[in-house]
Amino acid sequence: LTSNIRFSSYCWNFVNDSADVQDDNGHGTMTGSEMCAGPGTGFGITGGAYGAELMVLKALDANGHGSSTKVSAAIYFAVDHGADVINLSLGQNNPDSLILKALSYAQAHDVVVVAAAGNSAGNLPCYPAAYAMLMPNVIAVGATQTSNVPVNMASFSNKAGTTQGYNFVTAPGVDITGFGTDEQLWSWS
């Protein structure tokens, strides 16, 4: 995977305050492969933006836990170091003023933020994806399952609710194949 991704020189680990961004959870590697794996991996995996440069910023620990301080610091860092798009595959139930302020900073610098709608089968996106209802630079992403025709929302995915006119999109989210940290293909939902 790493030979088929262009990495930014601005990668940083906000958990350990170091340049060591080795994935100790797997979610980042899997997500990175879905976004940026280039052709020629030998496994038929090509990311949706395989020509993009990936800036790896680690703001969550090995268990997927973190603080709004570290997440917002990573958002500021990404904006200040030239990111065009920020991916936030994370969520929480409540609004957060630190993250909202960081998202406003991204908006002021024309940076798009793509955030997971959540995996709790809620009627509305979790935060920070819920900020898509307020901010035009934030896109909330729900999950679909492609095994049904027509395509339906995945049973675990948070929905868009009844609010009209905000950035909510869906993408396949069940049995997705990508690269894991063990140099093997993983299938996750």
Side-chain angles (χ1 to χ4, degrees), residues 26-39:
H27 192 274
T29 300
M30 180 75 171
T31 303
S33 73
E34 296 303 311
M35 291 187 288
C36 298

Side-chain angles (χ1 to χ4, degrees), residues 10 28 32 53 55 64-65 76 85 103-104 115 141 147 158:
Y10 296 113
E53 184 176 81
M55 182 186 306
H65 300 117
Y76 285 109
V85 178
L103 295 176
S104 296
V141 182
S147 60
N158 288 24

Side-chain angles (χ1 to χ4, degrees), residues 104-156:
S104 296
Y105 184 75
Q107 179 175 305
H109 290 83
D110 296 321
V111 176
V112 173
V113 179
V114 180
N119 297 330
S120 60
N123 289 323
L124 291 170
C126 64
Y127 288 91
Y131 290 125
M133 292 182 239
L134 304 172
M135 307 178 79
N137 69 312
V138 178
I139 302 169
V141 182
T144 60
Q145 53 189 31
T146 57
S147 60
N148 296 339
V149 177
V151 174
N152 295 317
M153 293 291 288
S155 61
F156 57 82

